[in-house]
């Protein structure tokens, strides 16, 4: 199996069952990700070295503006996409098999969990995995210890409060918090010099 075939399957949202070539390939990618994150999380690395390790982990170029404070954990890495000026604080855990897309200017706090896999609710098929992507828009701030679950989209400019568990999509320019997260407030942006009154 090739990486493109694996990613196409994962992006389709199809169920992954044990003892299949998809499951075996996913396990192989997990082992590769464990090696690379162990390298990343051991000792000091310059920002440039961190970007180089992340490029090997994701298989994609990392913009010079990307910044990460280790440790960082993922059990795949190949379905991660980062925009420009993204910052990940220490202790983040990303389960990206279903796809994680992080837009420009995002700030991700300490110990944030992004989880894109669910298990089948039928106990006879509990080992089956169901992927769904997480999309994080531009200029989103996710506070420390928040968890974002599979299938969630967070709109541009939104804020996720520390400790929130996000089970449903969040509209742009809103603040969501709690367990489960709910919208607490709409963000009103300051006017820029030269803005017209409408």
């Amino acid at each position: 199996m090739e990486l493109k075939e694996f990613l196409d399957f994962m992006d389709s949202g199809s169920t992954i069952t044990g003892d299949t070539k998809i499951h075996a390939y996913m396990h192989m990618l997990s082992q590769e990700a464990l090696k690379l994150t162990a390298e990343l999380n051991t000792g000091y690395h310059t920002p440039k070295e961190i970007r180089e390790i992340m490029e090997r982990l994701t298989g994609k170029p990392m913009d010079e503006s990307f910044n990460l404070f280790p440790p960082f954990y993922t059990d795949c890495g190949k379905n991660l996409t980062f925009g420009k000026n993204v910052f990940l604080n220490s202790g983040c855990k990303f389960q990206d098999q279903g796809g994680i897309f992080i837009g420009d200017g995002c700030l991700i706090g300490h110990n944030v969990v992004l989880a894109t896999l669910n298990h089948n609710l039928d106990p006879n098929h509990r080992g089956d995995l169901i992927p769904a992507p997480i999309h994080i828009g531009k200029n989103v701030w996710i506070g420390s210890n928040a968890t974002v679950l599979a299938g969630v989209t967070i709109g541009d400019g939104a804020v996720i409060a520390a400790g929130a568990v996000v089970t449903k999509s969040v509209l742009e320019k809103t603040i969501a918090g709690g367990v489960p997260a709910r919208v607490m407030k709409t963000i009103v942006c300051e006017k820029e010099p030269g803005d017209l009154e409408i």
Side-chain angles (χ1 to χ4, degrees):
M1 169 168 282
E2 298 293 325
L3 180 60
K4 183 181 182 326
E5 182 183 354
F6 171 78
L7 293 176
D8 287 346
F9 184 91
M10 297 306 286
D11 293 345
S12 76
S14 299
T15 299
I16 304 138
T17 56
D19 300 323
T20 60
K21 65 180 184 175
I22 291 287
H23 191 268
Y25 194 83
M26 186 170 68
H27 181 72
M28 182 274 297
L29 288 178
S30 293
Q31 294 307 303
E32 181 182 310
L34 290 172
K35 288 179 191 173
L36 288 168
T37 53
E39 178 184 342
L40 175 68
N41 298 332
T42 306
Y44 173 77
H45 300 286
T46 66
K48 183 175 186 285
E49 291 168 338
I50 289 171
R51 286 191 301 274
E52 288 169 355
I53 295 169
M54 290 298 289
E55 286 182 352
R56 289 165 41 215
L57 181 64
T58 64
K60 300 171 186 169
M62 300 298 295
D63 190 80
E64 268 187 26
S65 62
F66 175 82
N67 203 349
L68 178 152
F69 287 176
F72 172 77
Y73 304 94
T74 182
D75 54 3
C76 181
K78 297 297 189 252
N79 214 357
L80 281 172
T81 303
F82 295 102
K84 296 179 180 180
N85 296 305
V86 170
F87 173 69
L88 307 182
N89 219 323
S90 60
C92 289
K93 299 167 185 74
F94 290 3
Q95 181 193 59
D96 63 287
Q97 289 89 338
I100 294 174
F101 306 88
I102 299 177
D104 295 347
C106 286
L107 305 173
I108 312 294
H110 293 90
N111 303 313
V112 166
V113 174
L114 304 180
T116 65
L117 292 176
N118 279 314
H119 285 276
N120 195 316
L121 293 179
D122 180 344
N124 296 315
H125 300 281
R126 187 63 44 85
D128 293 354
L129 297 168
I130 304 157
I134 292 172
H135 292 271
I136 299 171
K138 295 178 181 178
N139 300 311
V140 171
W141 173 23
I142 300 180
S144 298
N145 296 301
T147 298
V148 180
L149 299 182
V152 165
T153 295
I154 299 174
D156 294 349
V159 174
I160 305 301
V165 177
V166 185
T167 61
K168 296 180 180 173
S169 293
V170 175
L171 295 175
E172 66 179 27
K173 295 182 182 167
T174 57
I175 299 172
V179 180
R182 61 178 178 75
V183 172
M184 302 163 65
K185 185 176 180 179
T186 299
I187 297 169
V188 178
C189 298
E190 294 180 20
K191 292 180 189 168
E192 296 292 325
D195 283 353
L196 297 175
E197 290 287 338
I198 298 178

